[in-house]
Amino acid sequence: MKKYLTMTKRVNCSLAAIAVATTSLALPSGAALAQETESAADDNSGVIVVTARKREEDLLKTPIAITAFTADAIEAKGITSINDLVENTPGINVSNVSSGRNDRSFQQISLRGFTPSTATSTLTATFINGVPVSSATAVNAVVDPARIEILKGPQSAYFGRNTFAGAVNVVTRAPADTFGGSIKASGGSRSSYDLALSLEGPIIEDVLSFRATGRAWGTDGSYDNAANPGQTLGDRQTRTGTLQLEFTPTDSLKISGFGLYSEDKDGPSAQGLLSAYEVRSNNGALNIPFNSGNSAGNILIPSLSNCNLVGLAAGIAATEAAVTRPYICGAAPALPSGFSPAQNTTEDSLLAGILNNYDQRITSPSTGVQGYGLVRRYYHLNLTMDYEVGDTGITLSSLTGYNNEIYSQLADLDNFDSDSIVNGAAAFIPGARTTYSFPFLVERANRDFSQELRASYDDGGALQAMIGVSYLNARTENDLVSVFAEEQFRAPRSTGSLGPPGKAITKSIFASASYEVIEGLKISAEGRYQQDKIFAFAGGRGLTISPTNLFGLPGGTFGPREQFFSKKYNNFQPRVIVNYDITPDLMIYASWAKAANVSISSFNTSFLSGSAGEVAAAASIGLQVVTEPEKLTNYEAGLKGSFLDGAVRASFAVYKADWTNQYNNRSTVFNDTSVNPPVPSIISGVANSGDVNLWGAELDMLINPVEGVTITAAGSINDSSVQTFSDPSISRVTGIIDGGFNGNQLPLTSKYSGTLGVEFYGDIENWEDAGWYIRTNLNYKSKQFVDAANLTWIKGRSVVNGRIGFTKGDLSLEVFANNLLNNKQYTSIAQNVILTPDFSLTGANGYLNVGLPEKRTIGIKAGLKF
């Protein structure tokens, strides 16, 4: 029984960490120090120790916004992915929808309402043991971590690039000093399964230890593909393994190495199409009633339009000709039954031949996708070293990291059942597909190396200080293969399929000092001077730049993917925090910080090496080559404390943020008639076209009213007000332009969110060392706008999860239900153009691509520690 009570205390402490951290809006400082102790939450004091400022601190005494999910909290809530993490945390959203697909190749985090424009201009960075990783999906790959910390607000002072809005840091579990391990297995609805193993112990007693883990999980999708009977949409599968070594040759030196390999293999993604236009097939011929004026033929896409908007011809100037178009206003409607979700996913010899051609691609036969869906391989390594210099209070640290991620994804971008539309070109082109479909292959490789060196001082006195330097070299490559053109027209693959690589080298020096001026009053000052050098490359076609070009670029002729330009951005990013202990159990704090975000995609270069049509399309949406860094000024104040002898723990905080030079995505899909044969093309980039004011308030509470009951409640308001904004694709449809966006909210983020959890627990009488528990929690996110026009949105979403289980010594068994009430509200939303054979509807966004949630999952889970 003693062991069960200890476990319960750990869960309570974990929930306290969540409750306090989720709304502690203190100014953030850094991700947790690699391999720091996770045992601090295991004592009976209720103290949760975090290392957000790269030193051990009581969570309730740390004037930083941290959501710290300990190992027990992660287990209790069933968090196994970035989506689970977001669902259980107020003030954060994740969108998986982009470019006509909804999958794990694209996970865009919006923390505190800061919505990034693209996947390559991340505002919330992800770390493992303080080492930056390539994408947020790395969270999925760590098996049974010690802790996950969500740090809210700018983290620039300690972590530099891409921590404009915050950071997510996964801290791995340190190896134990005795042999042991665990096995966990679960099975549930839709053939879902999850098997996780761990083994740890000493190799050389008190000198060298190890921890190895492995995990295999998967599930069938929740939705049937209307265009391919018998296939489900949303199938996912992951295999991952990790190895951690810890070497302590002396009491003053600790070296820890961690390696991870993960592989994802997913089927076509679960997404739906909501169209403002009706599309029909008339004996194999395309018929769009909006264009033709008649309704001949069978409906392939029903119109869900409920309004007509007076838009603009190009969306650049208010003086343009007005164009009336159908649109979907208000809350996004339900999917049209029988029509969506539907994707043409025919896999035959024609498709196999195209996918087996690795010309103009960045993958190899061993890494490229073999059919519709996603294949991703991810490698991560980090090495940390800490050396205590005698009794001086000085610790020297080194943190080294390497990431290599590559994914390959094939999607049917038209997102409707188009098999009944005849491909007219097939009559003249041998081997072409006889029916219409629009598949595109998207591939990306991210590789980076990072190194940080720092010296910290803390002798237990009034002063703590740190100084360090860091280096990051990141490179990305991508290709976009028009499988459509190769299937429909047997067109040769364009050299333009290879996009320009991206490269960024970041060098910085950072320092901090915290001093207790009088008892209970501390002032902390910290900052980072950072230099980002961004490189520009030609695309797969090569590039010729005129010496008299309008962009100030060097003239010359450059070969495919050759570097032709670079620029350095220098920024100083400070933060000041003042905190005061009103009583030993109650603290208030206030902070001010500035941050800058320099994206690896700061240059728009792909259109420079494009065709004449692509260059003209880029000019039509106002793309420039060079952009400027996004800037942020952040103010925060808050309170943390415990009351009634620790029976109630609470935190409250408010913040205000001024975001200028905001990156906004600009893109257009068009039929490129400047090449022969004409092919559909996509031009996209970013522009500094926005200023936004944001503010928020968060409240968290943990209540232990009586023995055996724990209640957690957390909520946040994350509001935004657009001051300036420009995006031609939105103005083209809505007619809203320039100052018309003022006062609107940012898209893809929830203004209101919250969680409520109740746990009952106790022992089982007359059964030694055994106990029971019942847990339930409600997670809520309010509506999300599709764009800055705020005319369309997806409704709020409430998810109820529940668990009933018991423990007997080292054995556990539980029954779980995720999404118990089977909420089917959309998880994310994006605009897109309707892709038809005549491309007549590509001039403006005509449909909404919605992410579909995983339906109710009921299962059983067992675990054994040994």
Side-chain angles (χ1 to χ4, degrees):
M1 187 58 210
K2 181 178 179 181
K3 182 175 291 187
Y4 175 70
L5 291 176
T6 300
M7 183 199 78
T8 302
K9 288 181 179 292
R10 291 181 183 177
V11 173
N12 292 345
C13 292
S14 304
L15 293 170
I18 300 168
V20 172
T22 305
T23 59
S24 299
L25 292 179
L27 254 178
S29 119
L33 180 62
Q35 307 310 321
E36 285 292 358
T37 176
E38 67 270 11
S39 62
D42 294 345
D43 59 32
N44 295 326
S45 67
V47 173
I48 306 297
V49 171
V50 295
T51 51
R53 292 192 289 185
K54 303 197 174 182
R55 60 179 185 265
E56 292 187 356
E57 295 180 288
D58 180 351
L59 180 64
L60 290 177
K61 301 293 185 181
T62 306
I64 295 172
I66 312 164
T67 295
F69 290 85
T70 67
D72 290 317
I74 294 168
E75 178 71 17
K77 291 181 175 290
I79 296 173
T80 59
S81 68
I82 190 69
N83 293 78
D84 295 334
L85 186 67
V86 168
E87 181 181 291
N88 284 277
T89 308
I92 184 171
N93 294 88
V94 63
S95 174
N96 301 312
V97 176
S98 174
S99 301
R101 62 190 196 274
N102 171 46
D103 58 38
R104 294 193 287 173
S105 67
F106 178 89
Q107 292 195 299
Q108 183 185 60
I109 295 176
S110 297
L111 180 59
R112 282 188 169 180
F114 286 82
T115 303
S117 60
T118 69
T120 54
S121 61
T122 306
L123 299 176
T124 303
T126 311
F127 300 82
I128 296 177
N129 293 334
V131 173
V133 296
S134 303
S135 67
T137 50
V139 174
N140 306 345
V142 180
V143 180
D144 193 19
R147 185 171 61 253
I148 301 176
E149 297 182 344
I150 300 176
L151 310 177
K152 298 183 178 181
Q155 302 299 313
S156 310
Y158 281 102
F159 295 95
R161 293 190 68 241
N162 301 131
T163 56
F164 193 77
V168 177
N169 184 50
V170 182
V171 181
T172 61
R173 191 188 293 266
D177 55 7
T178 58
F179 280 106
S182 67
I183 179 170
K184 301 174 185 177
S186 68
S189 311
R190 296 181 302 282
S191 302
S192 62
Y193 65 93
D194 192 344
L195 176 64
L197 305 169
S198 70
L199 183 65
E200 59 188 333
I203 299 174
I204 302 175
E205 195 73 30
D206 298 326
V207 176
L208 180 64
S209 57
F210 80 99
R211 186 168 193 268
T213 70
R215 183 179 179 221
W217 71 271
T219 183
D220 290 346
S222 296
Y223 302 88
D224 294 326
N225 185 358
N228 191 352
Q231 182 184 57
T232 54
L233 300 175
D235 295 12
R236 288 163 295 149
Q237 178 180 286
T238 293
R239 303 288 185 268
T240 186
T242 71
L243 175 64
Q244 186 162 328
L245 297 174
E246 191 166 284
F247 180 50
T248 53
T250 69
D251 291 340
S252 58
L253 176 63
K254 182 170 72 171
I255 302 174
S256 182
F258 176 78
L260 177 152
Y261 171 74
S262 180
E263 181 177 289
D264 299 331
K265 289 186 177 181
D266 298 350
S269 57
Q271 61 198 38
L273 179 149
L274 305 173
S275 176
Y277 294 84
E278 183 177 275
V279 175
R280 291 175 175 256
S281 173
N282 184 17
N283 294 318
L286 173 71
N287 180 28
I288 302 173
F290 182 82
N291 295 332
S292 67
N294 67 72
S295 58
N298 299 320
I299 296 177
L300 302 182
I301 308 177
S303 170
L304 300 177
S305 172
N306 58 4
C307 62
N308 289 309
L309 298 180
V310 180
L312 299 170
I316 303 295
T319 56
E320 295 169 4
V323 181
T324 300
R325 300 181 178 94
Y327 198 63
I328 300 173
C329 298
L335 293 179
S337 179
F339 296 97
S340 185
Q343 299 173 40
N344 297 123
T345 54
T346 301
E347 297 179 2
D348 54 13
S349 59
L350 174 60
L351 179 66
I354 294 171
L355 295 180
N356 286 329
N357 176 10
Y358 284 85
D359 184 35
Q360 308 298 323
R361 291 175 61 183
I362 60 171
T363 54
S364 64
S366 62
T367 56
V369 71
Q370 300 300 309
Y372 284 90
L374 166 73
V375 172
R376 184 216 315 276
R377 288 177 173 83
Y378 175 68
Y379 305 84
H380 170 83
L381 297 170
N382 69 64
L383 178 69
T384 63
M385 294 183 284
D386 295 288
Y387 177 68
E388 297 179 3
V389 185
D391 296 326
T392 63
I394 297 174
T395 301
L396 305 178
S397 302
S398 171
L399 189 60
T400 309
Y402 171 75
N403 295 282
N404 187 334
E405 177 191 39
I406 187 167
Y407 73 73
S408 176
Q409 199 270 358
L410 177 67
D412 177 41
L413 295 189
D414 56 43
N415 277 327
F416 70 96
D417 186 356
S418 57
D419 270 350
S420 62
I421 298 178
V422 173
N423 174 23
F428 310 98
I429 304 174
R433 189 171 296 287
T434 58
T435 57
Y436 170 75
S437 64
F438 199 92
F440 252 75
L441 176 67
V442 180
E443 297 179 321
R444 188 174 184 88
N446 302 301
R447 298 177 180 88
D448 63 72
F449 169 81
S450 61
Q451 176 64 57
E452 179 181 303
L453 299 171
R454 65 175 179 268
S456 306
Y457 172 77
D458 186 357
D459 67 350
L463 175 68
Q464 294 88 36
M466 181 182 66
I467 187 169
V469 295
S470 67
Y471 172 85
L472 173 66
N473 188 324
R475 185 179 177 94
T476 182
E477 300 177 77
N478 67 89
D479 64 61
L480 182 64
V481 176
S482 177
V483 177
F484 160 82
E486 297 186 33
E487 277 194 352
Q488 298 285 301
F489 309 116
R490 304 304 290 147
R493 185 165 301 171
S494 168
T495 54
S497 298
L498 281 174
K503 182 180 178 181
I505 294 178
T506 301
K507 302 175 183 178
S508 57
I509 180 170
F510 57 93
S512 69
S514 179
Y515 188 75
E516 188 170 16
V517 180
I518 60 175
E519 184 176 358
L521 176 64
K522 288 187 176 181
I523 299 177
S524 302
E526 55 201 39
R528 174 183 291 260
Y529 181 79
Q530 179 171 304
Q531 181 186 90
D532 294 281
K533 186 176 182 181
I534 309 298
F535 298 81
F537 295 83
R541 295 189 181 103
L543 176 64
T544 297
I545 302 177
S546 168
T548 59
N549 69 87
L550 301 177
F551 304 111
L553 300 174
T557 299
F558 305 90
R561 307 172 80 193
E562 181 181 353
Q563 178 191 328
F564 66 88
F565 180 69
S566 67
K567 182 177 179 179
K568 294 179 180 178
Y569 297 89
N570 298 313
N571 291 284
F572 177 63
Q573 301 168 84
R575 176 170 57 191
V576 177
I577 307 172
V578 179
N579 59 285
Y580 179 66
D581 294 332
I582 299 175
T583 71
D585 297 321
L586 183 64
M587 178 189 70
I588 58 174
Y589 56 86
S591 57
W592 165 87
K594 296 183 77 68
N597 181 51
V598 180
S599 170
I600 197 171
S601 58
S602 293
F603 300 151
N604 298 306
T605 59
S606 59
F607 70 86
L608 289 175
S609 56
S611 66
E614 290 174 326
V615 173
S620 73
I621 58 175
L623 286 182
Q624 298 293 318
V625 172
V626 178
T627 64
E628 295 300 317
E630 298 179 280
K631 296 294 182 72
L632 174 68
T633 302
N634 197 80
Y635 308 88
E636 298 189 20
L639 175 150
K640 294 183 178 183
S642 61
F643 311 89
L644 302 178
D645 296 325
V648 178
R649 295 168 179 260
S651 66
F652 174 75
V654 295
Y655 70 90
K656 181 181 182 299
D658 299 325
W659 183 5
T660 59
N661 269 5
Q662 179 195 25
Y663 288 145
N664 283 300
N665 190 46
R666 293 190 174 191
S667 63
T668 182
V669 180
F670 68 102
N671 195 30
D672 190 353
T673 58
S674 70
V675 297
N676 189 25
V679 296
S681 296
I682 302 172
I683 289 295
S684 64
V686 295
N688 296 116
S689 61
D691 296 319
V692 186
N693 293 338
L694 300 97
W695 71 273
E698 297 182 343
L699 173 67
D700 256 299
M701 298 185 69
L702 168 71
I703 305 172
N704 290 311
V706 295
E707 179 67 24
V709 179
T710 298
I711 301 172
T712 59
S716 71
I717 301 174
N718 300 104
D719 200 4
S720 57
S721 176
V722 172
Q723 303 301 296
T724 61
F725 179 81
S726 172
D727 186 334
S729 66
I730 298 175
S731 297
R732 189 181 303 129
V733 174
T734 66
I736 299 174
I737 196 167
D738 300 329
F741 294 100
N742 292 6
N744 288 356
Q745 295 182 41
L746 289 175
L748 306 182
T749 184
S750 299
K751 182 176 180 180
Y752 305 103
S753 56
T755 64
L756 176 65
V758 180
E759 178 186 18
F760 301 93
Y761 58 89
D763 61 339
I764 299 177
E765 294 185 8
N766 303 319
W767 198 4
E768 185 180 359
D769 203 19
W772 61 271
Y773 59 85
I774 300 175
R775 303 176 184 131
T776 184
N777 62 280
L778 167 66
N779 302 317
Y780 171 74
K781 308 280 187 186
S782 68
K783 68 181 182 182
Q784 301 176 45
F785 291 109
V786 66
D787 59 37
N790 286 188
L791 298 178
T792 307
W793 59 86
I794 56 174
K795 297 178 182 178
R797 175 172 159 79
S798 299
V799 178
V800 176
N801 302 318
R803 295 171 183 269
I804 300 175
F806 78 90
T807 62
K808 170 62 174 166
D810 292 323
L811 176 68
S812 63
L813 183 67
E814 73 173 24
V815 175
F816 64 88
N818 297 328
N819 194 8
L820 178 63
L821 302 182
N822 206 26
N823 187 299
K824 298 178 183 178
Q825 292 295 339
Y826 307 129
T827 58
S828 51
I829 186 170
Q831 289 180 325
N832 224 315
V833 298
I834 300 176
L835 298 168
T836 56
D838 63 356
F839 300 105
S840 62
L841 299 179
T842 59
N845 291 323
Y847 90 84
L848 303 174
N849 188 26
V850 289
L852 305 181
E854 190 168 355
K855 294 181 181 178
R856 176 173 47 233
T857 302
I858 297 176
I860 187 168
K861 181 177 181 179
L864 175 65
K865 296 180 180 179
F866 54 87

